[in-house]
Amino acid sequence: MSGAGEKISYIRSTFAPEDGRCMCLFEGESAEQVQRLNDTAGLPYSRVVEALDLTP
């Protein structure tokens, strides 16, 4: 998608083995854009939510 001119970047993933959960962080223009990226790539997910970076 970034190759097509959309502003979206993969930042990192965090795996919480106790919960069996993986959280992937992207920087993009909207949650809908990140959802579209995951759908296009065929990556499974249960939900996409907006997050804020609190790192100073």
Side-chain angles (χ1 to χ4, degrees), residues 10-26:
Y10 167 77
I11 298 173
R12 70 177 163 274
S13 295
T14 302
F15 178 62
E18 190 171 311
D19 290 339
R21 186 176 303 231
C22 184
M23 294 158 277
C24 301
L25 184 60
F26 293 87

Side-chain angles (χ1 to χ4, degrees), residues 6-54:
E6 291 196 49
K7 293 183 179 182
I8 189 164
S9 302
Y10 167 77
I11 298 173
R12 70 177 163 274
S13 295
T14 302
F15 178 62
E18 190 171 311
D19 290 339
R21 186 176 303 231
C22 184
M23 294 158 277
C24 301
L25 184 60
F26 293 87
E27 183 174 4
E29 297 174 346
S30 67
E32 292 78 18
Q33 182 192 41
V34 174
Q35 184 173 344
R36 202 168 65 249
L37 178 133
N38 281 277
D39 290 342
T40 300
L43 300 172
Y45 61 92
S46 56
R47 62 190 180 132
V48 174
V49 296
E50 186 174 336
L52 303 174
D53 185 359
L54 302 178

